[in-house]
Amino acid sequence: ADDLFRQDLSRWIKVLRSCPVTMTVSAGSTRWAARHGERLENGVECLFAEAENIRFDAPDVSDTTCTKAVIRGLQAGESVTLYMLSRLPLEQLLTTLSIDIGGTGARVSACPEHTFGVALGHRWLSLLGAASRAGVAVNKATLCSRLRHRLEDDLSFMWNLPTKSGSTAAVGRARTQQRPPVPADQQPAEPEASIS
């Protein structure tokens, strides 16, 4: 009887895990003063999601102050890596970031990044420069070509990394066959984040 019970329970768990869930990501809005008056912008933009068979859906516009990224196709029990662009400091982002998975709020916490420095810069540049990659969904509602190129240029110039397209090689900052790299004493300090 115990074997039958275990098999039955195991099958139910597999069925529950095979049900796709919808995930929404938001950090509310942040205010800033423009020339023509006060503006509201999303606190965080979700640019990429990395998992099997997922996609970004049209943004959730139910809140009048911000939009929420909607991710579909995630299976229950699977993990997903989100690549986000935040307008908020890390401490404030931890308190305002809201991830809703199938109607249930997820617990948000911070931990140290495993990759850092040039390796992290290469990771972002490989995501930004790829036309399409298996297992990576692009939020086309947010990541337009202008933003994509701006982020590529900023990463390339800040960390002296070549872009996949080679767009910054003509300026002379990125490593190429003909140009030596910028000396370490002339490079800006590597970005740091304090995680408590």
Side-chain angles (χ1 to χ4, degrees):
D2 284 343
D3 288 337
L4 292 175
F5 176 73
R6 283 190 204 129
Q7 289 176 355
D8 193 41
L9 183 61
S10 173
R11 288 183 182 124
W12 273 108
I13 289 173
K14 286 179 183 176
V15 167
L16 289 175
R17 285 194 170 175
S18 68
C19 295
V21 294
T22 300
M23 180 167 67
T24 59
V25 179
S26 173
S29 61
T30 181
R31 297 177 185 273
W32 63 282
R35 286 183 312 165
H36 57 279
E38 189 175 71
R39 289 195 52 154
L40 293 174
E41 297 285 343
N42 290 338
V44 71
E45 302 286 359
C46 190
L47 304 179
F48 301 101
E50 193 171 29
E52 293 299 319
N53 301 319
I54 61 169
R55 69 186 188 288
F56 280 93
D57 208 0
D60 178 359
V61 293
S62 59
D63 189 342
T64 59
T65 61
C66 65
T67 59
K68 299 175 185 177
V70 178
I71 303 166
R72 294 193 187 277
L74 185 65
Q75 302 295 319
E78 284 184 344
S79 63
V80 61
T81 302
L82 302 176
Y83 293 84
M84 298 184 283
L85 183 63
S86 176
R87 292 180 176 89
L88 305 171
L90 182 63
E91 296 78 23
Q92 187 179 353
L93 180 63
L94 284 173
T95 61
T96 59
L97 185 62
S98 167
I99 299 176
D100 183 84
I101 302 172
T104 304
R107 186 176 61 90
V108 176
S109 61
C111 63
E113 175 65 48
H114 296 294
T115 58
F116 56 90
V118 174
L120 183 60
H122 273 294
R123 178 75 184 130
W124 271 91
L125 280 174
S126 67
L127 287 169
L128 289 165
S132 64
R133 283 181 59 172
V136 176
V138 179
N139 188 356
K140 293 179 181 173
T142 300
L143 191 61
C144 62
S145 63
R146 289 177 57 109
L147 178 60
R148 181 185 294 259
H149 292 135
R150 171 68 191 268
L151 291 172
E152 280 183 329
D153 290 348
D154 286 351
L155 284 170
S156 177
F157 285 109
M158 285 295 291
W159 290 1
N160 194 30
L161 296 170
T163 60
K164 283 192 159 256
S165 65
S167 62
T168 57
V171 184
R173 288 291 307 269
R175 290 186 179 116
T176 63
Q177 300 285 340
Q178 297 82 14
R179 295 182 180 94
V182 175
D185 60 332
Q186 292 181 352
Q187 293 181 18
E190 193 167 301
E192 292 182 11
S194 60
I195 299 175
S196 307

